[in-house]
Amino acid sequence: MQGFLARHGFPEGPLVLTDWGPGADSLLRVSSRAHKLSTLRRLAQALPHGRFVLIGDSGQQDPAIYADFCAEHPGRVAAIYIRRAGAAGPANTQRTEQAERLLAGTGVPFILADDTEAMLRHARQHGLIAPARVGDVPDR
């Protein structure tokens, strides 16, 4: 995992994933929302002067979680990147529109895209990750 992240120019820092594993009465130990929001809160407390780039997808509750975190921690989020998830159709369109509404209300720059290229360009242009190096995946 570390090699992949370094090879593609991800900055060093914590990578917070879903808490997979069996719980007492479900497949996950805690809800995805509870896990992600509590983890973000712990990171904000542990890194009181840190700013965050939040990366997620539109398939679960990431836009709502990130909007809540932004409201709780104004000025702490540098950007939000959301990949559109799921097959095209009315349900996906509705999720995308809801994500746009939620994120627009945060006042934080956000990218909602089908792939990571637009996110990568934005992050490089705003100094959130290092400029491209020889051998990196090129921006298109």
Side-chain angles (χ1 to χ4, degrees), residues 18-109:
T18 300
D19 187 21
W20 290 103
D25 55 359
S26 70
L27 291 177
L28 297 178
R29 285 186 255 284
V30 295
S31 78
S32 176
R33 179 180 179 75
H35 170 72
K36 289 179 182 181
L37 196 50
S38 68
T39 301
L40 286 170
R41 288 172 176 151
R42 283 194 311 274
L43 284 171
Q45 185 174 17
L47 304 167
H49 303 291
R51 293 192 73 214
F52 301 93
V53 174
L54 306 177
I55 303 170
D57 65 56
S58 64
Q60 294 186 3
Q61 301 175 36
D62 292 348
I65 294 165
Y66 297 168
D68 288 349
F69 182 77
C70 289
E72 293 174 9
H73 302 278
R76 300 288 306 276
V77 177
I80 300 172
Y81 300 134
I82 300 292
R83 184 185 60 79
R84 285 187 195 97
N92 193 324
T93 300
Q94 185 178 14
R95 276 195 312 272
T96 298
E97 290 170 353
Q98 180 182 15
E100 288 174 340
R101 282 192 303 277
L102 285 167
L103 298 176
T106 67
V108 172

